[in-house]
Amino acid sequence: MRKMSKPLKTVMGGLLVLLVLLSAGAAVAEELLVYTALEDDEIPVYLEIFKKAHPDIEIKIVRDSTGIVTAKLLAEKDNPQADVVWGTAATSLMLCDQAGMVTPYAPKGLEKVRPKMRDANNPPHWVGIKAWMTGLCVNTVECASLKLPIPQSLDDLLNPVYRGQLAMPNPASSGTGFLTVSAILQTMGEEKGWAYLDKLHDNIARYTHSGSKPCKLAGAGEVAIGISFAYRGFMQKQKGEPVLTVFPAEGSGWDVEANCLIKKATIKPAARTFLDWAISEQVMKAYAQVYPVTAYATGVAIPDGFPADPEGQLIENDFNWAAKNRARILAEWTKRYDGKSDAK
């Protein structure tokens, strides 16, 4: 048999070592299951940043509306599946925390996060990344065709001329729906708030199970106005739809999109790595490209279309009240208005 030359042996040996190292790397690569309510068109942008920083961690995303993510988490309480929750309403994470499902964790860079964007405990049970707020998505072409005025406030939406021309998210399945209803009840008081919602209901064509859907319906001309959130309005306009995003004069309901570490028998190191990254400066600047209120200042200019003082647009929001009363509010809302909800 012909003997292998010494140089060839060296090359083959090197290739063998490389294969062993690659196999070992593949063996230790961690898979992380992440639940999120971030928008579909946001997630790939942020994950591209993560992959460049942590190519050895494979992220598996489960994405849905806030209410559905919350229900899924609570249903899995005794057998948790998610490793972390990313970009889901702080009020929802507070419910998970009350159910004993959260492991406190202080991610790297926590000291930069403003107090109202994180849990007050030390270490915190949840940490925010950005705020999202109610915005009215107005189809200017439809409004002109139907001779409808452009609304400037929540009160304007009670005008009978809008009957059958409004869509709104169902608060039981949509975080945007809940923060909007919660804001109405907090700012008006419950008696006047429910009376307002009764009148608003007269003008509603349908309640959707997604916070972004009313804006998409408005963009498509299926309704004239969608009660939604600001980001979605700007995205629909970028797609060429005749959507004007209006911020209600009374102020906008809002919530913090937040992260938490799910309590499990074994917590993967990659889960903490992900939560560190999720408030890192690099991805925070990416959040700030389309959301003006982030966990800490980034130096990124306020995105076009938002008020000059976006924080001033936000109502005074009592997150503890909202979380504590969430089940009661949803039960009452469902009893009164669910007949116009889309089929699930």
Side-chain angles (χ1 to χ4, degrees):
M1 183 181 289
R2 187 176 179 182
K3 291 185 178 180
M4 190 182 294
S5 67
K6 188 173 181 179
L8 186 56
K9 282 183 179 180
T10 302
V11 172
M12 293 299 291
L15 287 172
L16 182 61
V17 170
L18 180 60
L19 285 171
V20 170
L21 289 173
L22 288 172
S23 298
V28 298
E30 286 190 274
E31 182 179 278
L32 213 57
L33 183 58
V34 178
Y35 285 9
T36 183
L38 293 173
E39 288 292 283
D40 285 325
D41 44 14
E42 290 182 81
I43 295 169
V45 176
Y46 307 146
L47 286 187
E48 187 63 30
I49 298 171
F50 180 82
K51 288 175 183 177
K52 288 179 180 177
H54 302 284
D56 56 329
I57 300 175
E58 183 179 348
I59 302 298
K60 182 179 178 183
I61 293 288
V62 172
R63 190 268 162 197
D64 218 315
S65 297
T66 300
I68 296 172
V69 171
T70 306
K72 184 173 177 62
L73 285 164
L74 293 172
E76 295 171 353
K77 174 186 174 183
D78 296 328
N79 184 27
Q81 301 299 303
D83 295 303
V84 300
V85 183
W86 174 41
T88 299
T91 47
S92 290
L93 300 191
M94 292 167 74
L95 293 177
C96 293
D97 190 27
Q98 291 166 14
M101 299 173 59
V102 174
T103 294
Y105 178 60
K108 293 177 183 176
L110 177 66
E111 68 282 354
K112 295 187 288 187
V113 176
R114 61 185 88 192
K116 69 179 180 180
M117 296 288 281
R118 52 158 289 183
D119 175 46
N121 288 295
N122 190 20
H125 296 206
W126 57 266
V127 177
I129 55 176
K130 53 192 171 76
W132 92 105
M133 65 184 80
T134 302
L136 309 180
C137 296
V138 181
N139 186 312
T140 54
V141 171
E142 282 297 303
C143 282
S145 174
L146 297 169
K147 295 183 171 52
L148 300 176
I150 303 296
Q152 300 299 320
S153 67
L154 295 177
D155 189 59
D156 286 349
L157 297 180
L158 302 185
N159 189 329
V161 299
Y162 296 122
R163 183 153 298 185
Q165 290 298 329
L166 307 182
M168 177 180 172
N170 180 322
S173 48
S174 161
T176 302
F178 181 71
L179 67 84
T180 300
V181 170
S182 173
I184 289 166
L185 297 178
Q186 288 190 57
T187 56
M188 299 183 186
E190 290 207 44
E191 184 177 350
K192 290 182 179 179
W194 287 115
Y196 171 87
L197 290 168
D198 285 344
K199 292 178 182 177
L200 182 67
H201 181 68
D202 291 338
N203 287 348
I204 296 287
R206 56 193 281 199
Y207 296 105
T208 68
H209 295 295
S210 158
S212 59
K213 187 67 179 286
C215 196
K216 293 176 180 179
L217 292 173
E222 294 187 42
V223 294
I225 300 163
I227 302 171
S228 188
F229 60 106
Y231 167 85
R232 192 73 262 160
F234 298 138
M235 293 303 103
Q236 298 311 114
K237 184 175 182 179
Q238 283 186 18
K239 293 179 180 180
E241 296 174 357
V243 171
L244 171 67
T245 301
V246 174
F247 294 89
E250 299 92 343
S252 292
W254 63 288
D255 204 337
V256 176
E257 289 186 326
N259 315 324
C260 75
L261 182 62
I262 294 295
K263 184 182 291 184
K264 302 177 82 170
T266 301
I267 293 177
K268 300 173 183 177
R272 292 186 172 90
T273 298
F274 184 88
L275 292 174
D276 292 345
W277 166 83
I279 65 163
S280 65
E281 184 174 343
Q282 188 178 20
V283 73
M284 196 65 64
K285 286 185 175 181
Y287 301 147
Q289 295 293 326
V290 286
Y291 289 86
V293 182
T294 49
Y296 53 84
T298 62
V300 175
I302 296 170
D304 289 344
F306 280 95
D309 178 16
E311 289 190 57
Q313 176 63 29
L314 308 179
I315 68 153
E316 288 294 327
N317 198 348
D318 186 337
F319 292 116
N320 288 319
W321 181 89
K324 180 180 178 181
N325 291 283
R326 184 176 186 273
R328 177 179 63 83
I329 291 168
L330 295 181
E332 183 66 22
W333 187 94
T334 299
K335 181 178 71 175
R336 289 175 181 243
Y337 315 122
D338 200 37
K340 288 186 180 180
S341 291
D342 290 349
K344 290 185 178 179

